[in-house]
Amino acid sequence: MLETNNQNIYFPAFVNPAVENEQTVHRDRLAKPRLDVLQPLRDWLDSLDIQNRKLARFIAQTIPAQCPFERNIVLFGRKIAHIPPLCKLNPLYDQLVGLRFRALCYLADVCGEDIRSYC
């Protein structure tokens, strides 16, 4: 126990370090390794290399630039509810956004296309 400004501060980890070690071991025993079934698909999407103009255009047109599910519900000119973007609930969201970005970069850098129509 340490006294500062008339307040008691307890440092149980320093007083009895065995208690902290037991808690850490117990917590580690409860944590089970989880199998991620989507990891091979994530790896494949991350490693996909865009080398075809048609494929890059298809990807840029198929994957939306913004979440299509986000909406404001308006009744009589007043916003009564907001539906948040649900795309981030997609477990492959980051990989799909990265794939779209690589497709747009290929179209702009290699093909010299104007990509403003895809945004």
Side-chain angles (χ1 to χ4, degrees):
M1 179 171 65
L2 179 69
E3 281 189 40
T4 58
N5 299 336
N6 297 328
Q7 293 179 342
N8 295 332
I9 300 174
Y10 294 96
F11 294 105
F14 296 112
V15 175
N16 191 358
V19 172
E20 180 184 331
N21 290 338
E22 288 175 17
Q23 290 174 349
T24 306
V25 169
H26 182 66
R27 200 176 326 130
D28 290 341
R29 260 188 273 146
L30 293 177
K32 295 180 182 177
R34 296 176 63 189
L35 180 64
D36 189 7
V37 251
L38 294 176
Q39 191 59 43
L41 185 57
R42 285 188 189 109
D43 293 339
W44 179 75
L45 285 171
D46 283 337
S47 67
L48 197 63
D49 193 23
I50 310 293
Q51 295 296 326
N52 184 348
R53 179 179 281 194
K54 282 180 126 178
L55 178 63
R57 283 182 183 160
F58 175 75
I59 290 171
Q61 290 172 351
T62 306
I63 300 173
Q66 296 176 340
C67 185
F69 304 112
E70 184 177 22
R71 297 276 187 265
N72 287 327
I73 299 174
V74 179
L75 186 64
F76 301 117
R78 291 185 176 228
K79 180 176 138 181
I80 59 169
H82 175 74
I83 300 173
L86 302 174
C87 292
K88 294 197 177 179
L89 296 177
N90 182 353
L92 300 173
Y93 175 77
D94 293 330
Q95 284 73 26
L96 292 173
V97 169
L99 181 62
R100 184 176 196 275
F101 179 74
R102 288 194 309 271
L104 290 174
C105 287
Y106 175 80
L107 288 173
D109 296 340
V110 177
C111 301
E113 268 189 45
D114 183 21
I115 59 169
R116 283 184 275 183
S117 62
Y118 299 110
C119 296

